Amino acid sequence: MSAFGPRHRAPQSAQARRAERQVVLALIALPILLGLLIWFAVRTDNVVLLIVSVIGAVIGTWIGDKRKARKKAKADGN
């Protein structure tokens, strides 16, 4: 193997590519979401409302992911 040549990466599965894409999107979205949360907390002066809305969004996303996984498993089972 040449010391100057690029390293070959083995082909990835669709699941691995999807996981990488989700990590990149999360890293991009994190500073934006943090800025929005700080802006919302400063504008409303209601920290409890902020905390409840963040928890609600996280739970909603988690439930949506579970439903999607369940739907996909049902489709794969047919």
Side-chain angles (χ1 to χ4, degrees):
M1 179 164 86
S2 171
F4 299 106
R7 292 184 180 214
H8 175 71
R9 290 181 56 179
Q12 294 178 330
S13 67
Q15 185 177 8
R17 287 192 305 270
R18 189 177 317 116
E20 279 186 357
R21 191 169 37 242
Q22 287 176 345
V23 168
V24 169
L25 289 175
L27 290 174
I28 292 170
L30 190 63
I32 296 169
L33 291 175
L34 186 60
L36 285 172
L37 290 175
I38 291 171
W39 176 81
F40 185 72
V42 169
R43 294 280 294 170
T44 61
D45 288 334
N46 191 346
V47 178
V48 175
L49 179 63
L50 172 70
I51 292 170
V52 168
S53 45
V54 168
I55 291 172
V58 169
I59 291 174
T61 303
W62 178 66
I63 290 173
D65 288 346
K66 284 186 74 164
R67 285 184 178 172
K68 236 190 258 185
R70 199 176 304 136
K71 186 177 180 182
K72 184 178 178 182
K74 186 183 269 188
D76 290 342
N78 288 337

